[in-house]
Amino acid sequence: MSTLSTLEKKPSKISKRPKFAVVRFPGSNCDQDAYFAIKNVLNCPVEYVWHQDKSLKGFDVVVLPGGFSYGDYLRCGAVARFSNIMDAVVAHAERGGFVFGTCNGFQVLCEAHLLPGALVRNNVCQFRCQYVNLRVENNDTPYTRAYQVDQVIKVPIAHGEGCYIADASTLQTLESSGRVLFRYTNEKGHPSPESNPNGSLNNIAGIANANFNVVGMMPHPERACEKLLGSADGLGLFTSIVTAFAMR
C-alpha cells in the first residue's frame, strides 16, 4: 500500500519548490537518471553542475549521483572529494542546505567527512545489480516524511563497493540517534544476512548526518520513481525533500 504524500499525486500544487543541482563528475553515470526524475517526475527546476565549478549559488538541494567518479581510482569517491565543487558542497551542507548522495555520491560524502564511516568492497566480491528491499527506520526527517516507519520499499542497487562499515562507537551513535534511515531487509521487513547484498554492518543502506540535512544511501531511488521502471517507491524520498523545503 502506498503511503506517499499527496505531493506525489499532485506535485504541481506545491508553490515553493527547491532548485536542484546535479553534480557531474568524470565517470558519473546516474546524473541523467537523477535529472530526469527531478525535472520530469518531480516537476522541480534542476541544472547540471560541472565538477570544476566553484559555486552552488541559487541552488537549494545538491545531488551527488552514482557512477564511477574518476574511475574509482585510489578508493571510490576519494578523488572526487577534492573536486573544486566539493568546497561549495561542504559549505552548502554546513549552512543547513540539503545534500543527497546515492551510490557513488554516498561514497563521496563519506570521503568528504560529511557522513561518517566508509564504503568498501562487497563481501561477496561481486558487483550487485538487482532490486532490494529496504525498511524505513525513521520517517521524522526531511528525506523520509513521505514514508511510514517500518514500511518496506523496493529500490534497485548497482555497486561493487557498497559495504558500509564504521567503528562500534559510530554505529552506536547512528543507531541511537535515529540516523540510520534505511536498512536492507527481506520482503517482510526482517533484516538478515540473506537480505544484505553487500555485507553492510547492521544491514545499513542509508544514513544521515547529525543535522539530518545530509543523507547518503547505496540504493538508487532516482531509478525507482516510475512504476514503468519496476517501482515508484524511491519517489517518496524526493517528495519528502520538496515538502520539507516548502515548510521552511
Side-chain angles (χ1 to χ4, degrees):
M1 179 179 65
S2 175
T3 59
L4 298 184
S5 67
T6 55
L7 175 60
E8 178 187 348
K9 300 176 182 178
K10 298 180 180 180
S12 60
K13 297 299 182 180
I14 300 296
S15 57
K16 183 182 179 184
R17 310 185 70 78
K19 184 176 182 179
F20 286 74
V22 176
V23 178
R24 305 183 99 171
F25 299 102
S28 295
N29 66 8
C30 302
D31 44 345
Q32 294 183 56
D33 296 320
Y35 186 98
F36 179 89
I38 294 165
K39 180 178 181 179
N40 297 90
V41 183
L42 200 62
N43 193 30
C44 281
V46 56
E47 292 182 14
Y48 291 120
V49 174
W50 188 230
H51 69 112
Q52 292 181 335
D53 292 345
K54 298 181 179 181
S55 174
L56 287 167
K57 184 178 180 180
F59 293 103
D60 305 298
V61 183
V62 179
V63 177
L64 303 185
F68 304 90
S69 59
Y70 295 91
D72 281 349
Y73 288 112
L74 298 181
R75 295 182 308 276
C76 296
V79 180
R81 180 265 177 274
F82 293 101
S83 294
N84 288 343
I85 195 60
M86 286 307 297
D87 286 339
V89 173
V90 172
H92 182 80
E94 291 178 345
R95 291 193 298 268
F98 295 136
V99 178
F100 173 66
T102 177
C103 198
N104 188 226
F106 186 10
Q107 295 162 343
V108 174
L109 291 175
C110 288
E111 289 289 339
H113 305 297
L114 287 174
L115 292 173
L119 286 307
V120 299
R121 187 170 297 278
N122 297 347
N123 67 335
V124 292
C125 294
Q126 296 175 339
F127 185 91
R128 287 293 177 85
C129 183
Q130 63 192 69
Y131 272 97
V132 296
N133 297 298
L134 305 177
R135 188 177 72 197
V136 179
E137 301 293 283
N138 180 2
N139 71 343
D140 189 22
T141 82
Y143 294 81
T144 57
R145 64 178 67 243
Y147 300 112
Q148 292 181 353
V149 172
D150 293 332
Q151 181 181 350
V152 177
I153 62 175
K154 187 176 76 169
V155 182
I157 60 170
H159 59 251
E161 287 149 312
C163 176
Y164 180 76
I165 61 171
D167 59 63
S169 176
T170 298
L171 286 174
Q172 182 178 10
T173 298
L174 290 173
E175 297 284 5
S176 63
S177 58
R179 290 167 56 188
V180 176
L181 304 190
F182 301 99
R183 202 181 308 273
Y184 299 111
T185 68
N186 61 20
E187 292 181 353
K188 296 182 179 180
H190 302 308
S192 66
E194 293 74 24
S195 64
N196 190 334
N198 49 42
S200 290
L201 297 179
N202 293 12
N203 282 48
I204 291 173
I207 62 172
N209 68 341
N211 293 325
F212 292 95
N213 64 305
V214 179
V215 165
M217 61 188 297
M218 284 310 296
H220 289 271
E222 78 283 2
R223 292 179 172 177
C225 287
E226 294 182 294
K227 291 183 179 179
L228 180 66
L229 299 177
S231 172
D233 290 349
L235 184 57
L237 182 139
F238 294 101
T239 59
S240 293
I241 295 173
V242 175
T243 300
F245 178 80
M247 294 173 62
R248 281 188 163 188

